[in-house]
């Protein structure tokens, strides 16, 4: 005799901004199967999102993942155009009026932190406002300058190079920051 083991059915969620009447299918839910998604009403777009969503060809390849293959809503690039991000007390350089116009919903607008500060973000939210996360102080002792007097060798016969230009690298909470954050 043989033991028959049923195949597991994956559950996925929709990308943010694409809505479904299917139980647990939207991005804020726990996830649903392709069968539940297909049986539900057509997709709609949430606030700050637009497009012509279509669930045809929806696939859920990884349990707990995001649906793929269908046509999903995309973030509107005008959602936050009437607003300006407030960078006062955010340890950021001031941003020119309308500089963040065109930032899509749930995407970030470019910013520059003040000297000795890093990270931070400016995100366009679906309600038409900006969420400003302040830049944080970076300890001067956490930043080091690359040595320009040392040659590093990948193997004995080739691929040697010298790091030049007194570039800095910084660590915060044990993680190396990108050059943009440093």
């Amino acid at each position: 005799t043989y033991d028959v083991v049923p195949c597991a059915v994956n559950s996925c969620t929709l990308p943010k901004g694409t809505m479904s009447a299917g139980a647990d299918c939207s991005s804020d839910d726990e996830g649903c199967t392709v069968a539940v998604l297909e049986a539900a009403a057509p997709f709609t777009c949430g606030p700050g999102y637009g497009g012509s969503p279509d669930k045809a060809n929806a696939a859920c390849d990884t349990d707990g993942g995001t649906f793929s293959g269908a046509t999903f809503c995309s973030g509107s690039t005008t959602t936050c155009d009437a607003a300006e991000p407030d960078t006062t007390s955010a340890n950021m350089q001031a941003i020119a009026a309308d500089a963040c116009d065109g930032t899509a919903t749930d995407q970030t607008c470019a910013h520059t932190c003040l000297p000795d500060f890093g990270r931070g973000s400016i995100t366009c939210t679906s309600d038409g406002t900006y969420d400003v996360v302040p830049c944080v102080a970076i300890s001067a002792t956490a930043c080091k300058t690359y040595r320009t007097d040392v040659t590093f060798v990948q193997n004995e016969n080739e691929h040697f190079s010298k790091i030049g230009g007194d570039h800095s690298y910084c660590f915060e909470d044990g993680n190396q920051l990108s050059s943009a954050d440093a």
Side-chain angles (χ1 to χ4, degrees), residues 21-22 56-57 79 83 86 129 162 164 175:
N57 302 315
T79 303
D86 181 6
T129 62
K162 187 173 187 175
N175 298 310

Side-chain angles (χ1 to χ4, degrees), residues 26-177:
S26 296
S27 65
D28 296 339
D29 295 327
E30 293 182 23
C32 70
T33 64
V34 171
V36 169
L37 189 71
E38 288 174 344
F43 290 158
T44 58
C45 295
Y49 286 81
S52 300
D54 186 354
K55 59 185 168 182
N57 302 315
C60 178
D61 297 326
T62 305
D63 192 40
T66 303
F67 283 106
S68 61
T71 303
F72 304 108
C73 301
S74 58
S76 170
T77 57
T78 59
T79 303
C80 293
D81 285 359
E84 296 296 330
D86 181 6
T87 60
T88 55
S89 303
N91 303 312
M92 294 178 186
Q93 291 182 0
I95 293 182
D98 301 327
C100 289
D101 284 5
T103 302
T105 304
D106 293 318
Q107 297 300 308
T108 58
C109 173
H111 71 284
T112 302
C113 293
L114 295 176
D116 300 322
F117 289 85
R119 294 192 166 164
S121 64
I122 300 171
T123 305
C124 172
T125 65
S126 62
D127 67 1
T129 62
Y130 287 98
D131 178 28
V132 177
V133 175
C135 296
V136 294
I138 297 176
S139 170
T141 60
C143 294
K144 305 290 183 190
T145 302
Y146 286 118
R147 291 182 60 182
T148 58
D149 62 335
V150 179
T151 299
F152 298 91
V153 178
Q154 184 171 344
N155 68 38
E156 292 181 12
N157 299 316
E158 59 184 331
H159 300 295
F160 59 90
S161 63
K162 187 173 187 175
I163 298 172
D166 293 328
H167 299 286
S168 293
Y169 61 99
C170 301
F171 288 83
E172 183 176 37
D173 298 327
N175 298 310
Q176 185 173 353
L177 299 175

